[in-house]
Amino acid sequence: DARVTQTPRHKVTEMGQEVTMRCQPILGHNTVFWYRQTMMQGLELLAYFRNRAPLDDSGMPKDRFSAEMPDATLATLKIQPSEPRDSAVYFCASGEGAGRYGYTFGSGTRLTVV
Amino acid sequence: QQQVKQSPQSLIVQKGGISIINCAYENTAFDYFPWYQQFPGKGPALLIAIRPDVSEKKEGRFTISFNKSAKQFSLHIMDSQPGDSATYFCAASMGGTSGSRLTFGEGTQLTVNP
């Protein structure tokens, strides 16, 4: 089964440190999404890319978050500096074309900022 | 702004019973309505989806009922099984440049007792 691979699965870091989360989308999927899941806010879209170009990152705090796709096989989400309120599970998902007919989610990165 | 409201927040059903989860949306531009299933420690997985030109879609034990005039849709799980215990999310998206953007409901934690 094709799958979206996210690393690391778990990350504990101290406040103020830089955090980088990585995602390998399914081969051939040209649309990539970053979602954040918390108990309070549920699933929030942070950013998404099509053909490696950012289409929408309005859900992302620009002062500390950045998302990139250096190539078609890698998407990254960076937080610098990290804060305790960033503690959440971060999901990457990918889809074909406009991605409207179903995304495949990775298993997520559980981030804890202490 | 929460554009998709989901209820109930949690649901307990006996094995063999019917589980019903409801969602309501506000934006009439939405034209794609998927349901996702999430198990602990995993990312959401597409379960079933519907477009507003049909009123019902069935796949195995899972059925989506769609009421366009009421701007509501629901998931019915027939003959519920303990293995169906998971969190279920409804979602909605629209065409155009934001066609990929899925807006999720708050989630329903389903427990099916043996």
Side-chain angles (χ1 to χ4, degrees), chain B:
Chain B
Q1 179 185 4
Q2 179 59 264
Q3 296 186 56
V4 180
K5 293 191 180 297
Q6 183 172 346
S7 63
Q9 187 174 6
S10 62
L11 180 63
I12 300 174
V13 174
Q14 291 299 118
K15 178 182 176 181
I18 302 174
S19 304
I20 301 174
I21 304 170
N22 301 299
C23 283
Y25 62 97
E26 300 170 3
N27 193 334
T28 55
F30 286 143
D31 61 358
Y32 174 66
F33 302 88
W35 285 88
Y36 281 79
Q37 178 188 57
Q38 185 179 27
F39 293 105
K42 300 292 186 182
L46 180 64
L47 186 63
I48 186 172
I50 197 168
R51 299 184 67 86
D53 52 348
V54 297
S55 60
E56 184 175 282
K57 183 174 182 180
K58 183 176 181 180
E59 291 184 1
R61 296 184 294 107
F62 300 91
T63 299
I64 300 178
S65 296
F66 187 83
N67 186 330
K68 187 175 182 179
S69 60
K71 293 188 287 186
Q72 295 176 345
F73 59 110
S74 60
L75 176 69
H76 296 234
I77 306 174
M78 311 299 288
D79 186 26
S80 299
Q81 299 296 312
D84 297 329
S85 297
T87 301
Y88 293 80
F89 293 92
C90 62
S93 72
M94 67 184 82
T97 57
S98 61
S100 299
R101 187 186 193 95
L102 273 179
T103 300
F104 284 91
E106 299 94 332
T108 296
Q109 187 166 348
L110 171 66
T111 301
V112 181
N113 288 327

Side-chain angles (χ1 to χ4, degrees), chain A residues 9 31 33 35 37 43 45 48 50 55-56 58-59 91 98-103 105-107, chain B residues 31-32 36 38 41-46 51 89 93-95 97-102 104 106:
Chain A
R9 288 296 313 277
T31 308
F33 311 84
Y35 281 88
Q37 185 174 37
L43 280 160
L45 178 66
Y48 76 97
R50 187 167 303 142
L55 287 190
D56 186 353
S58 59
F91 288 105
R100 296 181 63 234
Y101 298 97
Y103 309 157
F105 281 75
S107 294
Chain B
D31 61 358
Y32 174 66
Y36 281 79
Q38 185 179 27
K42 300 292 186 182
L46 180 64
R51 299 184 67 86
F89 293 92
S93 72
M94 67 184 82
T97 57
S98 61
S100 299
R101 187 186 193 95
L102 273 179
F104 284 91
E106 299 94 332

